[in-house]
Amino acid sequence: MSRAALLILADGRFPAGGHAHSGGAEAAVAAGRLTDAATLETFCRGRLHTAGLVAAGLAAAAAAGHDPLLLDDAADARTPVPALRQTARRLGRQLMRAARATWPAPALDALAAARPRGAHQPVVLGLAARSAGLTPLDAAHAVAYETLSGPATAAVRLLSLDPFDATAVLARLADDLDRVAGRGADAAERITAEGTDALPAASAPLLDITAQQHAAWPVRLFAS
């Protein structure tokens, strides 16, 4: 295991396409629910404990060596909104390209062949983590951090928010992130006995609704 590999995978400059997505922040800003650092923290905490928890479980399970195709089906079942399924697969396809170039592995090649239009991003991230020699908990941490860093970075652009304030929000949520990553990794351990039903299935209906609405905007700064 290489901690440097974890830093590379979680780095916002890793060419996985996440910079083009706001994680729902753009729609929240337009609706007036995200206006400053305090509301950014509230938004990020809610996203972490719902979408982030689901992603952490999926990524940890893929990193643990569970069937990525079954996990991809489980991700579909936990993503009821077409716009978010499309986004997750688009991000997964881009991440797959970066991962295969960085940590070539037969498992990545096999998933890319089985899902040419892209597997769900958390599943790809977990498989990339496994190919890099990382643990399921590492994978859960990486994907949970992305759940927070995407909206925080987007808020800087959307609100002209002070980057120092946005980074302070991430720091204040560090303990929450650790807990969510741990829950995701724990769920992944139960798959052998319980199947994919052991994985978290937390929901965030408002994020789902606004994501579908955002996809229909004629003009937007972010893809999602």
Side-chain angles (χ1 to χ4, degrees):
M1 184 181 67
S2 168
R3 289 298 178 193
L6 177 58
L7 294 175
I8 293 169
L9 185 60
D11 192 336
R13 291 163 293 188
F14 191 68
H19 66 279
H21 298 263
S22 76
E26 186 169 23
V29 168
R33 289 188 294 272
L34 202 170
T35 58
D36 54 18
T39 49
L40 173 63
E41 183 170 346
T42 300
F43 177 89
C44 285
R45 180 177 286 107
R47 191 167 192 268
L48 174 64
H49 285 277
T50 52
L53 177 60
V54 172
L58 291 165
H66 294 290
D67 186 343
L69 296 180
L70 288 179
L71 296 176
D72 196 54
D73 290 341
D76 247 4
R78 288 158 173 77
T79 313
V81 176
L84 289 179
R85 286 199 297 271
Q86 183 180 31
T87 294
R89 293 191 179 281
R90 185 183 300 123
L91 285 169
R93 185 169 62 248
Q94 178 65 23
L95 175 58
M96 179 66 79
R97 291 179 60 196
R100 292 172 76 188
T102 309
W103 300 291
L108 289 171
D109 295 339
L111 181 57
R115 294 287 189 270
R117 298 180 64 183
H120 279 258
Q121 189 263 5
V123 178
V124 178
L125 187 146
L127 204 57
R130 182 176 177 85
S131 300
L134 297 172
T135 69
L137 183 58
D138 288 330
H141 268 103
V143 80
Y145 176 71
E146 184 180 53
T147 299
L148 299 177
S149 62
T153 301
V156 172
R157 296 175 61 186
L158 292 163
L159 298 170
S160 296
L161 191 68
D162 188 328
F164 296 145
D165 290 339
T167 302
V169 167
L170 298 180
R172 287 195 292 273
L173 292 173
D175 289 343
D176 287 70
L177 193 154
D178 286 343
R179 286 192 290 271
V180 165
R183 288 179 63 190
D186 289 344
E189 289 184 358
R190 302 199 306 272
I191 289 179
T192 301
E194 303 175 29
T196 56
D197 285 348
L199 293 172
S203 64
L206 189 56
L207 281 177
D208 291 341
I209 292 168
T210 55
Q212 195 63 41
Q213 294 171 340
H214 181 271
W217 289 7
V219 178
R220 55 186 188 266
L221 183 60
F222 291 93
S224 70

